[in-house]
Amino acid sequence: MKLKLKIWRQKNFETKGGIVNYEIDNISPDMSFLEMLDVLNADLISKDLDPVSFDHDCREGICGSCSLFINGQAHGPDRLVTTCQLHMRKFKDGDTIYIEPFRAKAFPVIKDLVVDRSAFDRIQHAGGYISVNTSGNTQDANSIPINKDDADSAFDAATCIGCGACVATCKNSSAMLFVGAKVSQYSLLPQGQTEASRRVVNMVNQMDLEGFGNCSNTGACEVECPKGISLDNIARMNRELLKASIKK
Ligand code: SF4
Ligand code: FES
């Protein structure tokens, strides 16, 4: 395949960025999107030019590092996949592809297509954990009976990989699908009850401090989420927050 790429290049947070045009040839439809960018970068390096910076790690859809806005969609045109799992067969020979970073005030650009998503880490630090005594006397989790539906919903929520596609897709740059998933994975299980009130209040406060917007109820986040995280998690988070405020 021969492709025209229009890629966002930006030296750093302080510098103004812009779209730069590239042409690329000999791309196999079986390559992943990131492999296609590897080919471009190998060519740029061979010409002593600055390669395009982009985030990646596992390249198997589990780490949440890859974060590209491709032709106006987070993680590109395929459904339920991350950018690293997107294949070039989803495009046609001769296509023009726009590649931009995930855009949100709370995700400042570090360089080119790499954005700083440490705001998500700080939200997790605010409450996305349970305190467990690991002295060796910890009760085996399997000894606590859990309703199958709750276990399944908690597991589904826990599949959120923290990629930030929900934020990049939302017109308000809301992080509520992410935070809803992180709150839900604990609130559905007995192990999460002890710190439940503190957790939801602290995580939502941190989310607001980081500058994410409110939920716009359009549901675009759910559509673009590579892990199919349901909007139900946002409703559950709001219920947990209401419960916590009544308990005060
Ligand atoms: S909710 Fe979905 S889109 Fe948002 S961070 Fe988690 S996996 Fe990514
Ligand atoms: S590189 Fe890990 S999910 Fe894409």
Side-chain angles (χ1 to χ4, degrees):
M1 297 162 81
K2 198 170 174 173
L3 300 161
K4 289 192 183 78
L5 305 177
K6 290 178 173 282
I7 303 182
W8 185 263
R9 303 291 321 251
Q10 186 170 346
K11 207 169 165 201
N12 53 42
F13 177 61
E14 285 85 30
T15 319
K16 210 174 157 207
I19 293 283
V20 176
N21 297 324
Y22 299 95
E23 295 214 349
I24 190 164
D25 205 350
N26 283 327
I27 295 299
S28 158
D30 296 327
M31 278 181 184
S32 75
F33 200 83
L34 298 188
E35 283 166 344
M36 180 275 290
L37 288 179
D38 290 340
V39 172
L40 171 71
N41 276 347
D43 184 49
L44 291 176
I45 290 165
S46 73
K47 292 174 180 153
D48 225 10
L49 295 170
D50 188 26
V52 178
S53 295
F54 61 91
D55 244 344
H56 61 105
D57 188 8
C58 71
R59 295 201 176 200
E60 51 186 19
I62 53 172
C63 75
S65 303
C66 56
S67 51
L68 302 180
F69 217 66
I70 302 162
N71 285 345
Q73 283 182 285
H75 296 300
D78 211 353
R79 292 273 72 83
L80 298 172
V81 295
T82 50
T83 299
C84 60
Q85 298 283 289
L86 174 68
H87 285 89
M88 296 314 295
R89 65 182 82 98
K90 290 285 163 187
F91 300 90
K92 292 193 302 293
D93 185 35
D95 270 0
T96 299
I97 307 176
Y98 282 80
I99 312 171
E100 296 170 82
F102 278 4
R103 295 190 191 280
K105 192 174 149 216
F107 289 167
V109 170
I110 295 173
K111 187 177 182 225
D112 298 334
L113 305 169
V114 180
V115 298
D116 180 356
R117 284 169 288 174
S118 56
F120 271 13
D121 296 337
R122 290 187 290 274
I123 294 172
Q124 277 289 84
H125 294 171
Y129 55 82
I130 55 166
S131 301
V132 181
N133 180 346
T134 50
S135 60
N137 300 319
T138 317
Q139 189 180 3
D140 191 308
N142 290 332
S143 65
I144 305 170
I146 296 168
N147 174 298
K148 171 86 169 92
D149 289 341
D150 288 346
D152 286 350
S153 301
F155 188 85
D156 287 348
T159 60
C160 164
I161 52 173
C163 64
C166 45
V167 173
T169 301
C170 177
K171 58 186 173 189
N172 276 355
S173 299
S174 168
M176 285 177 90
L177 196 65
F178 165 75
V179 183
K182 297 300 168 195
V183 165
S184 293
Q185 80 179 76
Y186 300 108
S187 71
L188 286 156
L189 301 176
Q191 291 90 337
Q193 299 313 308
T194 317
E195 291 149 311
S197 304
R198 222 181 324 147
R199 173 180 306 112
V200 67
V201 169
N202 290 346
M203 291 182 84
V204 169
N205 282 347
Q206 190 63 40
M207 173 181 83
D208 291 342
L209 273 176
E210 298 290 349
F212 293 104
N214 205 356
C215 175
S216 60
N217 290 314
T218 36
C221 54
E222 185 186 61
V223 175
E224 296 293 345
C225 171
K227 297 295 160 182
I229 299 293
S230 159
L231 287 177
D232 293 350
N233 292 295
I234 296 182
R236 189 175 297 105
M237 179 185 73
N238 286 334
R239 283 200 300 276
E240 288 289 315
L241 190 62
L242 185 64
K243 242 183 353 192
S245 62
I246 291 168
K247 266 191 195 166
K248 267 187 189 170

